Amino acid sequence: MIDIQFVDISGIKIGHAEDIDGVTGCTVVLCEEGASGGVAVRGGAPGTRETDLLNPMEMVQYIHGVILSGGSAFGLDAAGGVMDYLEGKGIGFDVGVTKVPIVCGAVIFDLAIGNHKIRPDKTMGYKACINSETTTLDLQGNVGAGYGATVGKILGPNNAMKGGLGSAAFQVGDLQVGAIVAVNALGDIIDPENNIIIAGALNEEKSKFLNTEELMLKEYDKKINRFSGNTTIGIIATNAKLTKGEANKVASMAHNGFGRTIRPAHTMFDGDTIFTMATNKVQGDVNVVGFLATRAMEQAIINAIKNCESADGYISYKDLAQMQGK
């Protein structure tokens, strides 16, 4: 098994777009030939688009793009730009009078950072598609859907840290499996190699992590609305030949990557969602694809945190380590 770039997975293109004033952005993964699609929604507060048609019982077999976006539910508008881009290239489900691109999507809540009136829209979604034409390297950190991401928000923004966008991918023989993720969790981010918190809720002095799960345990008997803008969303891309049912299974297995790196994951205040896009180029056992997807997802989450930059008062992993002399 070797490390590769997510962007090098056969059959896909990836593009990003951001707004500096809004501190928000979007990331699109395109498969113009069509990909077997799957999805698994585990969080209690999802914002999603076109997830029902990924049920294996539904008619449409292939999807053409998935967009991850900031802006909360407003950010779902960015998918319109992806549809315009693909329709302009004659790509989509043929309905006779035109071809309808099948574009799925999910959003994170990042309205509390930057100008909340500026959200990813149709224009930004189209721009991300244009940018996919020239993207040859994986971009991570304050990029695309991760531009306004934050983590460790159990006590609000003053104790939280910067999140971001991360990716990772592996190749075994001809099989390629990768993950891309916008990390915007309520909980803390854990390095699974040593079980240590690397980002999350901080004390007022920014000198130590408070441990979100321990804070929640102290108030186990209180029903508290902890909504402060969360959700981690991602995409598994693979060149494996998968059915829709298998693609859904891979998305489900990839949530183990969330469980290994985010504590707690899948809360009622997170809309944690993972899509699968399988470009159907090579044979690959679904079980192998699934556990590679899990490994890629956990590494992508760590990469997001370690590559982000401080923004709008939220300190990054890198700046915190420098401040603490590590």
Side-chain angles (χ1 to χ4, degrees):
M1 185 174 72
I2 61 172
D3 293 341
I4 61 172
Q5 292 198 102
F6 182 88
V7 74
D8 290 335
I9 293 173
S10 177
I12 69 164
K13 298 194 303 184
I14 180 169
H16 314 277
E18 304 87 22
D19 186 282
I20 295 174
D21 294 329
V23 195
T24 192
C26 62
T27 294
V28 65
V29 178
L30 302 175
C31 181
E32 296 180 356
E33 296 177 4
S36 299
V39 68
V41 180
R42 293 289 182 267
T48 56
R49 182 184 194 274
E50 296 278 40
T51 53
D52 283 352
L53 62 77
L54 297 180
N55 186 317
M57 294 187 295
E58 307 303 340
M59 179 183 68
V60 173
Q61 294 299 307
Y62 301 109
I63 64 175
H64 306 98
V66 176
I67 187 162
L68 308 179
S69 179
S72 189
F74 298 108
L76 292 171
D77 287 348
V82 183
M83 292 194 69
D84 276 0
Y85 174 84
L86 292 171
E87 185 186 24
K89 299 186 73 174
I91 294 167
F93 182 76
D94 193 343
V95 295
V97 295
T98 189
K99 291 185 178 179
V100 179
I102 308 301
V103 179
C104 304
V107 294
I108 65 171
F109 186 104
D110 60 0
L111 299 179
I113 184 171
N115 184 345
H116 72 278
K117 289 291 187 180
I118 300 175
R119 305 112 179 198
D121 56 12
K122 192 174 184 179
T123 300
M124 189 184 289
Y126 191 90
K127 182 180 179 182
C129 292
I130 294 295
N131 290 340
S132 75
E133 297 173 359
T134 55
T135 301
T136 58
L137 297 172
D138 285 351
L139 304 176
Q140 308 199 59
N142 293 19
V143 179
Y147 198 67
T150 51
V151 300
K153 289 169 279 191
I154 188 75
L155 297 179
N158 291 334
N159 303 82
M161 287 182 64
K162 188 69 179 68
L165 186 84
S167 61
F170 307 116
Q171 182 161 340
V172 182
D174 294 331
L175 177 65
Q176 299 170 319
V177 182
I180 190 163
V181 61
V183 184
N184 188 63
L186 172 75
D188 303 322
I189 309 304
I190 311 296
D191 186 340
E193 292 294 321
N194 52 29
N195 210 35
I196 292 175
I197 298 174
I198 62 170
L202 293 164
N203 65 358
E204 297 300 325
E205 297 75 27
K206 305 290 191 286
S207 60
K208 69 175 184 177
F209 293 110
L210 296 175
N211 192 311
T212 295
E213 289 188 334
E214 289 185 5
L215 288 173
M216 294 175 72
L217 283 173
K218 291 177 181 177
E219 297 181 325
Y220 75 93
D221 57 344
K222 298 177 182 178
K223 191 170 183 179
I224 301 171
N225 183 357
R226 301 185 186 278
F227 181 80
S228 54
N230 313 300
T231 296
T232 297
I233 52 178
I235 303 167
I236 298 299
T238 178
N239 66 346
K241 295 179 181 179
L242 299 179
T243 65
K244 283 176 70 177
E246 290 172 332
N248 276 275
K249 181 60 177 177
V250 168
S252 178
M253 291 176 72
H255 272 282
N256 290 330
F258 282 18
R260 293 174 185 175
T261 55
I262 303 171
R263 296 183 189 171
H266 307 144
T267 75
M268 288 297 290
F269 309 107
D270 291 284
D272 297 341
T273 300
I274 297 176
F275 294 93
T276 300
M277 300 178 73
T279 63
N280 298 304
K281 302 290 185 182
V282 304
Q283 293 294 338
D285 176 58
V286 64
N287 300 292
V288 175
V289 175
F291 81 68
L292 287 176
T294 297
R295 289 190 186 182
M297 183 58 75
E298 65 180 271
Q299 187 58 55
I301 290 170
I302 299 303
N303 288 345
I305 296 302
K306 291 190 174 181
N307 284 282
C308 67
E309 305 289 340
S310 299
D312 206 45
Y314 291 88
I315 192 168
S316 68
Y317 164 86
K318 291 186 288 187
D319 286 344
L320 180 65
Q322 185 177 25
M323 186 177 72
Q324 296 178 342
K326 296 180 180 178

